[in-house]
Amino acid sequence: MDSFFKAALGVGGLGTVGAAVFFGLYKDWLALDIFSKLSADQTFIIMLVFLGLVFLSLVVLVTAYMLKGIKINSAKATNSSVAIINDTK
């Protein structure tokens, strides 16, 4: 799968990778029986909501990845004492 994304990125750029991910997410989803019962407007709204949720989850995952690299100094005191962090270099 890695080689596919590398090749897609090299040939068509970021748009090709986005189209492949979009197709991968939607190919089986749009074949569900519920869409035959919905109008075109309702299907479009559901598709937009799903796309928004995917984008929101991407933003959350990228933010969590960026925050993972931040070093947080913490100390825990015992016996009701004070914990001090000396961070001078």
Side-chain angles (χ1 to χ4, degrees), residues 64-84:
Y65 177 76
M66 289 171 53
L67 289 176
K68 185 178 85 167
I70 296 175
K71 184 178 177 185
I72 299 173
N73 292 331
S74 64
K76 185 175 181 181
T78 58
N79 298 332
S80 300
S81 60
V82 177
I84 299 173

Side-chain angles (χ1 to χ4, degrees), residues 30-66:
L30 289 174
L32 294 174
D33 290 335
I34 193 167
F35 291 109
S36 63
K37 300 173 187 173
L38 296 175
S39 70
D41 290 337
Q42 291 170 331
T43 303
F44 182 69
I45 290 171
I46 288 175
M47 202 166 156
L48 286 179
V49 168
F50 183 71
L51 197 64
L53 291 173
V54 168
F55 181 74
L56 182 65
S57 64
L58 173 70
V59 169
V60 168
L61 287 173
V62 167
T63 304
Y65 177 76
M66 289 171 53

Side-chain angles (χ1 to χ4, degrees), residues 1 4-5 17-29 50:
M1 194 67 163
F4 169 75
F5 283 119
V17 173
V21 170
F22 182 80
F23 178 72
L25 289 173
Y26 281 98
K27 70 178 179 177
D28 292 330
W29 189 71
F50 183 71

